[in-house]
Amino acid sequence: MKILNSTAALMLIISMNIYAVPEGAFTTLHVQAKNIDKYIEMMKNNQAPFEAIGSDVAGVCITKTGHQYPGEMFVWNAFPSVEKAIEASDLYDPMKPAGPYKKMRKVKYSSTFKPLKEFKLQPGYERLWRLNLNDPMAYTQKMIELEDAIRAAGHDMNIGVFQPLGGGIEVFHVRAVSQSAGELGKVIDEYFAGASWASIWNDSAQYVDEIVSDTIEHCQIIYTK
């Protein structure tokens, strides 16, 4: 995977000075679950870890298509700031699982993400692209335009763009979120049928150097402060 080069990084910093980047941050813990349903149920019944790290909202995303391994999923936590998100990594170490967690999952890696545009936290059926971007803020502006156009066409879709922070080999995440699997597919059908908003998505490709992966996930909230 490519790493954001120094020129692109400098452009991002400059762009962020003139672009209204929203507050907040997310952390993700990517795991291989032996039994996804039982693992989620266990977390719902044991909220202490979320309380301990000061999470505002927490949930899970289960990979439905495009798996890299069986039982692929991740646990996410939403925080009011990057400060709180990074502090959380010092309050709980997932690499040292205890009790039932040790038997239920294999931890792959964790990361922190900063949203680059306003994102309505309304989990559902989500198409996730992992992208290497050459101009993150120009791409984000395109996603703002795309989200507005898709909503104007009658679809309840939320689009998020997230920059990894201390994410290792992680790259930018782009999420297109619908409230049902069928509605997500319907938007894709309309794209291939030549929807008016399709040109915005096509134009955004100029800011994409590489599509690292493309998956569909089912996400849900399992904890709220």
Side-chain angles (χ1 to χ4, degrees):
M1 298 181 186
K2 298 178 182 178
I3 298 175
L4 187 67
N5 62 41
S6 58
T7 301
L10 179 59
M11 289 175 62
L12 176 59
I13 294 171
I14 294 173
S15 298
M16 288 174 69
N17 289 330
I18 60 175
Y19 180 85
V21 176
E23 296 180 350
F26 292 86
T27 62
T28 60
L29 177 65
H30 298 257
V31 306
Q32 182 173 15
K34 294 182 179 179
N35 185 310
I36 290 175
D37 292 338
K38 287 184 178 180
Y39 178 47
I40 293 174
E41 189 63 28
M42 182 180 66
M43 287 188 289
K44 287 181 177 179
N45 293 328
N46 179 20
Q47 308 273 277
F50 304 122
E51 296 170 355
I53 63 175
S55 175
D56 282 349
V57 184
V60 296
C61 287
I62 304 162
T63 303
K64 305 297 285 187
T65 69
H67 303 73
Q68 297 184 56
Y69 50 83
E72 182 177 359
M73 63 174 290
F74 68 86
V75 182
W76 54 265
N77 288 272
F79 297 90
S81 65
V82 175
E83 175 186 2
K84 295 298 183 182
I86 293 180
E87 280 182 349
S89 65
D90 204 33
L91 299 174
Y92 175 70
D93 185 356
M95 301 301 176
K96 298 178 181 178
Y101 286 104
K102 189 173 184 179
K103 297 179 181 180
M104 294 295 292
R105 72 186 188 197
K106 179 180 180 182
V107 175
K108 295 292 187 176
Y109 66 94
S110 61
S111 187
T112 302
F113 287 90
K114 174 66 181 176
L116 297 185
K117 64 177 289 294
E118 293 293 343
F119 178 65
K120 185 178 180 180
L121 187 54
Q122 188 180 21
Y125 286 83
E126 313 190 6
R127 189 170 179 184
L128 166 63
W129 293 267
R130 287 179 169 88
L131 304 176
N132 277 309
L133 301 176
N134 56 57
D135 191 335
M137 301 317 293
Y139 182 86
T140 299
Q141 185 58 46
K142 282 293 181 183
M143 292 303 101
I144 292 172
E145 296 173 19
L146 179 64
E147 182 181 69
D148 288 344
I150 290 177
R151 288 176 176 175
H155 299 288
D156 181 14
M157 174 169 276
N158 302 311
I159 299 176
V161 183
F162 305 91
Q163 179 191 349
L165 303 170
I169 61 173
E170 271 289 13
V171 293
F172 289 88
H173 282 201
V174 178
R175 290 186 169 275
V177 184
S178 296
Q179 292 308 296
S180 72
E183 178 61 21
L184 180 62
K186 184 178 181 180
V187 174
I188 296 171
D189 280 336
E190 290 191 10
Y191 167 80
F192 284 109
S196 59
W197 48 262
S199 60
I200 304 174
W201 174 258
N202 294 339
D203 288 345
S204 73
Q206 64 185 298
Y207 305 117
V208 179
D209 284 341
E210 180 185 15
I211 299 175
V212 177
S213 69
D214 177 5
T215 58
I216 292 177
E217 302 174 345
H218 184 203
C219 304
Q220 61 176 293
I221 292 173
I222 63 172
Y223 166 83
T224 303
K225 182 184 287 186

